[in-house]
Amino acid sequence: MSTETPAPASSPSLDKPERAGEFSLDVEERSIVGAFHDWVTRLRTGDPGALPSVVGLVVLGIIFMQVSSAFLTRYNIGNLPGQGVYIAVIAMGLVFVLLLGEIDLSAGTAGGMCAALAAVAIFDGDLSNGLPTFMYWSLVVGLAIGVGLAVWVKAWSASVVIALGFLLVVTNLTQHLELALLAAICIGTAIGVLNGVLVAKVGIPSFVVTLALFLAWQGVLQFALAGRPVNTSNYDFWHNLTYGTLSPTQSWIFTLVVVLGFLAFTLTEALRAKAAHLTHDAISLVLLRGGLIALVGIVLTILANQNRNPNERSTLVIQGIPTAAVIALVLMIACTLALKRTTWGRHLYATGGNAEAARRAGIDVVHMKVTAFALCSSFGAMGGILLASSQSSASLDLGSGNVLLFSVAAAVIGGTSLFGGRGKPRDAILGALVIVIIPNGLGLKPSLGAQWQQVITGIVLLLAAAIDAVSRRRARRS
Amino acid sequence: MTEPILSARGLNKSFGPVHVLHDVDFDVYPGEVTALVGDNGAGKSTLVKCFAGINSIDTGTITFEGEPVTISDPRAASALGIEFVYQDLALADNLDITQNMFLGREISRMRAFLADGEMERKARETLASLSVRTVSSVRQQVANLSGGQRQTVAIAKAVLWNSKVVFLDEPTAALGVAQTRQVLDLVRRLADQGRGVVLISHNMNDVMEVADRVAALFLGRVAAEVQKTDTSTTQIVELITSGRTGDLGLTAATANEVM
Ligand SMILES: Nc1ncnc2c1ncn2[C@@H]1O[C@H](COP(=O)(O)OP(=O)(O)O)[C@@H](O)[C@H]1O
Ligand SMILES: [Mg+2]
């Protein structure tokens, strides 16, 4: 029985409602059994969480193992992060916007355009050389306006990021590859602030705003590249974002930092709450969960650190955790902390769940929307950079086509709702794995044409949406 | 007799050419439930919004604990300790009870990182202090709650911050018999704990059951403010419909003039 409720001292012969009044379900210490029970309850109340996407991954994996023996090899699995990371990152940005019940159709093309600007900058020395004069000054003015808009809606961090981009562009520091990529992300932030202001201040539906810009950015990208795609595999840093790996030592350090960081974080949290007599997870539960994650991390690292080059006569050694996986994981951890542990994250969920309730609670709904769109486009820019890396080219159609639709599909397959209020960064990763495993598996059997990819992806998306709808309906009935 | 904790004198409010409130005097006493009754369009919500800082007032004064105050926005009202439970409860379905109760005023470390454990404890303490028996866990999602439980959460949210005055707009309108019972008990308890409570209601049974005092608005004027013990349902209904009953209420001249 909980000791912290100041309810009047109670006799042992309490009847049912009396006990309920003392929060019979709120035990002070959540045990392993309790955590399992909570999970089952969530499933039954219409929140299937990661279950459908994980089951989907396993089923697809089993199918593709039948299709080709090359599927479940360390070489092939090691390629998955590099192939899918751009979808995961764009989808992760979309989660912020989807949580509000809004949509950003322009994340793909905006991201492609930002990455193309970076490509032009390093290819031609810097942006003022690479871009037509008119475009360069439009960019400079646009970034300055972006800072102003961000300040106007009190999106301070966004204004700092855009101001940084402004500085990088006007000082022509974009001649350095890393700084050019950083500037591309800052430009993405400015684009997101523009989306957010058009949606939240001007009041245009996000579908329309971002549909218009989806088209517009494709054209701007063509102006920027002026008909010449830029080969990104010439630039090691850029190329290695999706083709590189950590060295075996770096891999171990990364795994240890993540695993020990998680353990230390959850353990201190539980101990602190226990000391203050607050509800907390039992130490055994914390250790079990941390232990499982450590086990998975260690096994994966051991597997990743062996040479996975399938060509036995080749002297090239491919080993270590793929850089792309590190990028996705680090972004996921950061986004999860921001959404689950900060007031900003809580306010974002609240705004998506009931904007009127949020407004009356004193939450600045306009600010929330602008920051969500700003994050989404920033992640779009990162996605564009990663896409250019994995296809080895800042091409004339970078980020257009199916990129955005696949990313939305990834978020939805992972469990994020299109109606707002429900979704997690994790969904983007799991969904992106599902999306990317399909062309990967099919590609191992050239006799299966590429047309299968769209058909199967469509069916998987429908299945995910159906599971979501059915579980919600059951929840309402119960 | 105790002094009113919150009172309005000579309030006037117009929306453009429409004069909605006429010289309204209204008092809220600590430890008492004041029912605010009146027909649709009588100006009840308008009056409440003047206290909430949503409507500005044209003329008149508001005093709180004896001091004249200006309530220019909703934050000013909550800073004074005046809270409102609106008819559409405005809860976020995707958040749990604790998260809703603390929405917009989360306890945080370094102004950014949520202190969920502390909030849960305070939520539980508040519900326990109101003797709420219908909620088994403060971690339940609001989407899974019944109408009465939602109303309870909205009320608990209003008293979480040691509020001194609570306005409730039609809290039982959408509830069944048993749940109405629970909410009325809760309303009574709010007053018994020393708060000033204003109950806006159309339901005479509710009013006669929990109110100590009844203020009837008739077309933007206070027709009468009476002790419940000195009146009857029939009288209140007459005050609502015609602005006067017997020698209570507006003078015949005023009542006819405004009709
Ligand atoms: N924002 C507004 N603009 C114009 N007229 C209003 C506004 N709010 C209320 N009114 C008018 O004031 C009158 C009183 O409304 P209200 O306070 O909502 O009544 P009640 O809550 O008692 O039913 C009505 O005639 C209504 O049309
Ligand atoms: Mg009303």
Side-chain angles (χ1 to χ4, degrees):
Chain A
M1 194 69 241
S2 89
T3 55
E4 72 266 31
T5 45
S10 45
S11 65
S13 63
L14 287 171
D15 57 343
K16 204 93 204 255
E18 283 282 344
R19 293 181 64 93
E22 292 176 16
F23 314 105
S24 50
L25 294 180
D26 282 350
V27 283
E28 188 180 331
E29 189 164 276
R30 197 162 75 122
S31 64
I32 296 173
V33 178
F36 181 74
H37 189 90
D38 284 357
W39 182 69
V40 173
T41 313
R42 273 206 305 278
L43 280 186
R44 287 184 36 205
T45 53
D47 180 9
L51 194 62
S53 47
V54 170
V55 170
L57 270 179
V58 170
V59 170
L60 284 168
I62 292 173
I63 293 174
F64 289 132
M65 278 161 65
Q66 315 306 315
V67 170
S68 163
S69 59
F71 177 75
L72 199 66
T73 57
R74 278 182 291 113
Y75 176 71
N76 188 49
I77 300 298
N79 286 341
L80 281 176
Q83 292 167 356
V85 67
Y86 74 95
I87 290 182
V89 170
I90 297 175
M92 223 181 297
L94 281 167
V95 166
F96 294 108
V97 168
L98 294 176
L99 275 177
L100 292 175
E102 306 280 356
I103 183 82
D104 183 356
L105 298 173
S106 71
T109 57
M113 195 266 291
C114 294
L117 287 177
V120 169
I122 48 164
F123 188 75
D124 289 320
D126 62 47
L127 271 177
S128 66
N129 284 327
L131 290 180
T133 317
F134 169 73
M135 258 196 87
Y136 177 74
W137 288 107
S138 308
L139 177 64
V140 171
V141 172
L143 285 171
I145 293 174
V147 175
L149 289 178
V151 168
W152 184 37
V153 298
K154 304 192 197 76
W156 308 121
S157 358
S159 66
V160 170
V161 172
I162 302 170
L164 175 66
F166 177 83
L167 285 179
L168 290 174
V169 171
V170 294
T171 56
N172 288 329
L173 280 169
T174 46
Q175 57 192 297
H176 305 288
L177 172 60
E178 287 85 349
L179 294 179
L181 297 180
L182 181 61
I185 297 171
C186 301
I187 295 169
T189 312
I191 289 174
V193 168
L194 175 70
N195 286 341
V197 167
L198 288 174
V199 171
K201 276 277 186 199
V202 183
I204 314 172
S206 58
F207 189 94
V208 179
V209 168
T210 60
L211 177 62
L213 292 176
F214 163 81
L215 299 170
W217 298 131
Q218 294 182 51
V220 176
L221 174 146
Q222 310 223 353
F223 279 122
L225 287 178
R228 319 154 303 178
V230 175
N231 185 338
T232 56
S233 57
N234 294 336
Y235 306 100
D236 281 347
F237 178 82
W238 200 337
H239 182 69
N240 285 336
L241 288 177
T242 54
Y243 289 95
T245 60
L246 300 186
S247 74
T249 323
Q250 289 169 334
S251 301
W252 276 119
I253 293 174
F254 174 73
T255 306
L256 283 181
V257 167
V258 170
V259 167
L260 292 181
F262 179 81
L263 254 178
F265 183 76
T266 50
L267 203 59
T268 46
E269 197 162 65
L271 288 175
R272 191 158 56 181
K274 188 174 183 169
H277 299 290
L278 299 173
T279 329
H280 62 274
D281 287 347
I283 306 302
S284 55
L285 173 61
V286 173
L287 291 178
L288 176 73
R289 204 166 38 201
L292 283 177
I293 287 178
L295 186 71
V296 171
I298 289 168
V299 168
L300 287 179
T301 311
I302 291 175
L303 289 172
N305 276 352
Q306 294 165 20
N307 182 9
R308 55 175 174 272
N309 191 339
N311 185 346
E312 272 143 28
R313 276 163 307 186
S314 160
T315 52
L316 176 69
V317 177
I318 307 176
Q319 60 180 8
I321 299 177
T323 316
V326 174
I327 294 172
L329 212 59
V330 168
L331 288 177
M332 184 191 83
I333 293 171
C335 292
T336 305
L337 287 175
L339 281 175
K340 292 266 302 188
R341 300 291 169 153
T342 68
T343 45
W344 177 83
R346 179 70 43 86
H347 293 175
L348 196 73
Y349 277 104
T351 308
N354 185 343
E356 177 59 18
R359 198 185 59 74
R360 284 196 210 155
I363 295 169
D364 184 345
V365 172
V366 170
H367 171 89
M368 296 315 298
K369 287 195 176 173
V370 173
T371 49
F373 275 100
L375 274 168
C376 181
S377 299
S378 311
F379 276 68
M382 287 188 245
I385 291 169
L386 292 165
L387 173 59
S389 168
S390 70
Q391 66 180 33
S392 293
S393 163
S395 55
L396 297 176
D397 62 351
L398 188 62
S400 59
N402 283 338
V403 169
L404 190 275
L405 296 182
F406 276 150
S407 304
V408 175
V412 172
I413 289 172
T416 294
S417 164
L418 287 175
F419 300 104
R422 195 166 54 96
K424 292 195 173 94
R426 180 195 69 195
D427 301 344
I429 306 271
L430 288 173
L433 270 175
V434 172
I435 294 280
V436 78
I437 211 172
I438 294 168
N440 174 290
L442 290 171
L444 298 173
K445 188 113 175 179
S447 58
L448 290 172
Q451 60 271 39
W452 279 100
Q453 183 198 343
Q454 268 114 333
V455 175
I456 296 180
T457 309
I459 291 172
V460 169
L461 178 57
L462 266 183
L463 272 176
I467 290 174
D468 182 50
V470 170
S471 61
R472 273 159 173 265
R473 205 172 51 226
R474 278 184 40 162
R476 262 202 305 281
R477 247 189 271 131
S478 67
Chain B
M1 200 176 74
T2 52
E3 289 298 304
I5 181 166
L6 176 69
S7 56
R9 285 291 168 271
L11 277 197
N12 280 284
K13 173 69 190 172
S14 304
F15 294 104
V18 194
H19 198 166
V20 177
L21 296 180
H22 300 256
D23 296 319
V24 168
D25 295 346
F26 184 70
D27 294 305
V28 184
Y29 293 86
E32 292 194 4
V33 177
T34 305
L36 179 58
V37 297
D39 215 343
N40 275 335
K44 305 183 294 293
S45 301
T46 306
L47 178 60
V48 171
K49 284 179 190 162
C50 289
F51 289 113
I54 296 172
N55 286 345
S56 58
I57 54 180
D58 299 340
T59 60
T61 53
I62 295 178
T63 48
F64 183 75
E65 295 183 318
E67 302 286 324
V69 289
T70 20
I71 303 174
S72 48
D73 59 69
R75 276 173 196 274
S78 37
L80 291 172
I82 310 176
E83 294 284 338
F84 300 83
V85 180
Y86 294 101
Q87 196 164 354
D88 54 330
L89 299 173
L91 299 172
D93 273 355
N94 58 334
L95 300 185
D96 70 21
I97 293 179
T98 309
Q99 293 168 347
N100 265 290
M101 283 173 66
F102 281 87
L103 192 57
R105 304 188 238 187
E106 290 84 2
I107 302 177
S108 57
R109 284 189 276 274
M110 295 181 286
R111 300 189 61 225
F113 297 96
L114 297 166
D116 279 320
E118 277 160 57
M119 290 193 267
E120 257 182 44
R121 173 163 63 187
K122 266 198 91 175
R124 227 174 278 147
E125 281 173 6
T126 304
L127 287 167
S129 75
L130 295 171
S131 311
V132 169
R133 305 208 187 290
T134 50
V135 172
S136 56
S137 166
V138 294
R139 290 196 197 164
Q140 264 173 295
Q141 273 210 352
V142 165
N144 302 332
L145 298 183
S146 71
Q149 288 172 321
R150 295 166 71 93
Q151 188 64 250
T152 303
V153 172
I155 294 173
K157 179 180 180 181
V159 305
L160 182 61
W161 304 95
N162 293 322
S163 49
K164 296 170 181 159
V165 177
V166 180
F167 286 80
L168 302 131
D169 200 348
E170 301 268 356
T172 59
L175 302 183
V177 177
Q179 297 188 338
T180 298
R181 169 87 267 123
Q182 286 158 5
V183 169
L184 289 180
D185 287 347
L186 189 51
V187 170
R188 190 63 246 171
R189 224 168 289 132
L190 295 182
D192 292 345
Q193 291 176 350
R195 296 183 187 85
V197 178
V198 180
L199 173 73
I200 299 168
S201 184
H202 271 118
N203 187 322
M204 285 310 122
N205 293 334
D206 292 2
V207 170
M208 292 314 279
E209 186 172 335
V210 292
D212 300 294
R213 194 182 286 275
V214 182
L217 272 186
F218 179 71
L219 296 176
R221 289 176 165 79
V222 178
E225 196 192 320
V226 290
Q227 294 281 341
K228 181 189 69 182
T229 43
D230 302 342
T231 187
S232 67
T233 306
T234 332
Q235 276 187 314
I236 298 178
V237 171
E238 269 185 52
L239 283 171
I240 292 173
T241 50
S242 58
R244 59 195 309 263
T245 170
D247 39 352
L248 257 182
L250 305 169
T251 61
T254 329
N256 289 332
E257 173 208 318
V258 295
M259 292 288 272

